[in-house]
């Protein structure tokens, strides 16, 4: 059993970042244009401990920070110690994990932004034929590659491809990590033109108190509409999300449609949308952190 504690990097709090459907249920999921999606997460490291377990190694735990409540552990980032495929047996794609790859294990439901979704527990077990089954599951997998890593999600037919790039600016280039949906069945001419991009903040224009180390900002970029909006920030010990623009939610729903999500998740469509958003952005952000050697 691992005992986790947050990395004592900074005592300051990051400033918040301001950042169509065919069915009625999907419209309801995005209709709440006045409802913001805002959340804070703490990235905690496990205390080093020798273990005889050979199935996987706990590298990082993501703890959500609800308002007026203790931190809620929601996601664990683990690494298979051997070549293992059992962790991704329920995935829509054939995902084979190697020893250096990562997978995300959901251990508790996210605390949703809307009042109706603020349940702090998802650990209700179901007894079927005398056996107990929990809601815990592997929801994401990161497969490293020298050129471009691939990120898969359990209930989606298509994942994302991530790679490091350099974006040339007016004064100097900026390090970025770009992600695009890896939908091999879709005609490239019909692409949505939507990408997610983590960009390293320019230290010259940010206060030292705010940065306190490296920070990346996540942008949603809609190339066809020529729009770009902030969604989140990440440092080596904290993740902040703030989505409030309607076009961002609509573009994200387009992404989920392109990913080919199944209908295995039930409940309020807004809460399903928010859970998928947290899993997606946290997983992509953690991949960036590992590329930056924050968690190694």
């Amino acid at each position: 059993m691992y005992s986790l504690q947050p990395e004592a990097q900074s005592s300051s709090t990051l400033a918040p970042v301001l950042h169509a459907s065919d069915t009625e249920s999907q419209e309801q999921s995005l209709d709440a244009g006045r409802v913001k999606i805002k959340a804070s997460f703490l990235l905690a490291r496990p205390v080093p401990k020798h273990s005889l377990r050979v199935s996987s190694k706990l590298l990082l735990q993501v703890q959500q920070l609800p308002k007026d409540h203790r931190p809620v552990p929601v996601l664990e980032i683990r690494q298979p110690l051997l070549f293992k495929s059992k962790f991704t047996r329920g995935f829509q794609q054939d995902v084979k994990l190697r020893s250096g790859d990562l997978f995300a294990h959901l251990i508790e439901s996210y605390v949703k932004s809307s009042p109706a979704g603020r349940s702090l527990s998802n650990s209700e077990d179901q007894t079927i034929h005398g056996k107990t089954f929990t809601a815990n599951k592997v929801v994401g997998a990161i497969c490293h590659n020298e050129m471009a890593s691939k990120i898969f999600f359990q209930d989606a037919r298509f994942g994302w491809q991530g790679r490091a790039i350099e974006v040339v600016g007016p004064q100097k280039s900026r390090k970025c990590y770009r992600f695009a949906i890896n939908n091999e069945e879709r005609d490239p001419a019909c692409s949505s033109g939507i990408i997610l991009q983590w960009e390293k903040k320019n230290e010259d224009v940010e206060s030292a108190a705010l940065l306190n180390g490296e920070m990346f900002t996540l942008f949603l970029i809609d190339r066809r509409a020529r729009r770009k909006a902030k969604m989140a920030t990440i440092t080596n010990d904290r993740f902040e999300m703030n989505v409030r623009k309607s076009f961002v939610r609509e573009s994200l729903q387009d992404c989920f449609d392109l990913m080919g999500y199944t209908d295995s998740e039930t409940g309020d469509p807004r809460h399903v949308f928010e859970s998928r958003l947290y899993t997606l952005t946290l997983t992509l952000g953690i991949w960036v952190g590992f590329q930056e050697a924050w968690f190694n």
Side-chain angles (χ1 to χ4, degrees), residues 115-157:
R118 296 189 65 83
S119 170
L120 294 173
S121 178
N122 188 37
S123 57
E124 298 178 359
D125 297 342
Q126 298 180 1
T127 302
I128 304 176
H129 301 304
K131 296 182 180 180
T132 301
F133 299 85
T134 67
N136 295 354
K137 61 179 181 179
V138 176
V139 293
I142 300 174
C143 298
H144 297 299
N145 190 288
E146 292 182 1
M147 298 299 295
S149 295
K150 292 185 178 180
I151 297 93
F152 303 92
F153 297 93
Q154 185 195 48
D155 296 327
R157 291 181 58 210

Side-chain angles (χ1 to χ4, degrees), residues 77-231:
I77 306 302
R78 291 182 169 270
Q79 187 175 57
L81 300 181
L82 301 172
F83 181 86
K84 294 286 183 179
S85 60
K86 68 176 184 179
F87 300 115
T88 54
R89 283 177 183 167
F91 278 51
Q92 298 298 308
Q93 293 180 280
D94 183 19
V95 181
K96 291 181 171 58
L97 295 175
R98 298 174 300 176
S99 59
D101 294 335
L102 307 172
F103 64 91
H105 182 241
L106 186 68
I107 56 176
E108 190 78 23
S109 65
Y110 302 105
V111 182
K112 309 304 189 301
S113 297
S114 58
R118 296 189 65 83
S119 170
L120 294 173
S121 178
N122 188 37
S123 57
E124 298 178 359
D125 297 342
Q126 298 180 1
T127 302
I128 304 176
H129 301 304
K131 296 182 180 180
T132 301
F133 299 85
T134 67
N136 295 354
K137 61 179 181 179
V138 176
V139 293
I142 300 174
C143 298
H144 297 299
N145 190 288
E146 292 182 1
M147 298 299 295
S149 295
K150 292 185 178 180
I151 297 93
F152 303 92
F153 297 93
Q154 185 195 48
D155 296 327
R157 291 181 58 210
F158 304 102
W160 292 70
Q161 184 168 282
R163 58 191 178 93
I165 62 171
E166 290 284 339
V167 175
V168 179
Q171 297 180 343
K172 62 178 181 179
S173 61
R174 177 176 296 187
K175 189 175 186 179
C176 298
Y177 293 97
R178 179 171 293 176
F179 298 87
I181 298 174
N182 191 27
N183 188 334
E184 299 171 351
E185 295 180 2
R186 191 175 182 84
D187 185 345
C190 300
S191 171
S192 66
I194 299 172
I195 61 175
L196 295 178
Q197 184 162 289
W198 286 98
E199 299 182 4
K200 190 173 182 178
K201 295 298 291 185
N202 185 349
E203 292 87 344
D204 297 337
V205 298
E206 298 290 340
S207 68
L210 175 61
L211 281 174
N212 194 24
E214 294 182 331
M215 179 170 71
F216 284 79
T217 300
L218 177 63
F219 291 92
L220 181 142
I221 302 174
D222 188 335
R223 289 173 162 176
R224 291 191 171 184
R226 297 185 178 181
R227 292 187 290 190
K228 179 178 180 179
K230 295 180 182 179
M231 290 176 51

